[in-house]
Amino acid sequence: MAFVFNIEENQDKIDALCEFIDQKKDIPGALMPVLQEAQNIFGYLPEEVMDLIAKRMKIFPAKVFGVATFYSQFSFIPKGQYQVSVCMGTACYVKGAQDILNEFCDRIGIEVGGTSEDLKFSVIQTRCIGECNLAPVVTINEDVYAHIKKADIRRIMRKYK
């Protein structure tokens, strides 16, 4: 699914980012904090914003894109209001995490790493979150769900509808 970034609707956010860039652009290594701030402001890094960063910092767009794609913390699509994270660490995986991940994706109607069209849900797989005794584990934003079974997913999702 393609998300459309509307510059006019985001002008206040763009102005805030430009102000931040102007404060940082002459500091060595400023690109990383600028990208982080842009993602904090917009929730993701639209292409238009990366182009703006390049112009404002007087660097090549390829450099901005290269840094942004190198680090997994950056997203190029909006994140949903509810971020479903399924732990795929060893303990969770052997206890059925892949089936749980697939069930969330099927119910929401998106692929892993995607966001629903209504921007309500994103689904990602994570590595070990350090709660192996609760395997398999799912987090939705700050909520933690332990010992999840496929049959639990419908009930869990009702809370977020």
Side-chain angles (χ1 to χ4, degrees), residues 36-124:
Q36 290 168 328
E37 182 65 11
Q39 182 155 295
N40 286 341
I41 290 171
F42 297 98
Y44 72 113
L45 294 176
E47 184 178 336
E48 297 85 352
V49 169
M50 290 191 291
D51 288 342
L52 170 73
I53 290 169
K55 286 177 188 162
R56 200 87 180 189
M57 294 184 74
K58 296 183 172 103
I59 57 179
F60 289 110
K63 181 173 183 176
V64 175
F65 185 75
V67 171
T69 56
F70 181 80
Y71 294 98
S72 62
Q73 67 180 289
F74 296 117
S75 174
F76 304 103
I77 62 169
K79 295 293 180 190
Q81 176 184 0
Y82 301 111
Q83 295 185 45
V84 178
S85 301
V86 179
C87 180
M88 297 298 280
T90 304
C92 290
Y93 187 81
V94 260
K95 292 189 174 187
Q98 184 65 56
D99 289 339
I100 291 164
L101 178 67
N102 294 342
E103 184 69 15
F104 271 109
C105 288
D106 289 347
R107 286 193 176 274
I108 296 168
I110 59 174
E111 302 278 324
V112 175
T115 300
S116 61
E117 287 187 35
D118 62 2
L119 298 177
K120 194 148 192 161
F121 294 99
S122 295
V123 177
I124 61 168

Side-chain angles (χ1 to χ4, degrees), residues 6 17 29 35 53 105 108-109 125-126 128:
N6 186 312
L17 178 62
L35 287 169
I53 290 169
C105 288
I108 296 168
Q125 57 184 349
T126 60
C128 184

Side-chain angles (χ1 to χ4, degrees), residues 15-39:
D15 293 344
L17 178 62
C18 288
E19 186 177 317
F20 185 84
I21 292 169
D22 290 345
Q23 293 171 4
K24 303 287 183 187
K25 68 181 175 188
D26 296 324
I27 300 171
L31 180 56
M32 191 68 172
V34 166
L35 287 169
Q36 290 168 328
E37 182 65 11
Q39 182 155 295

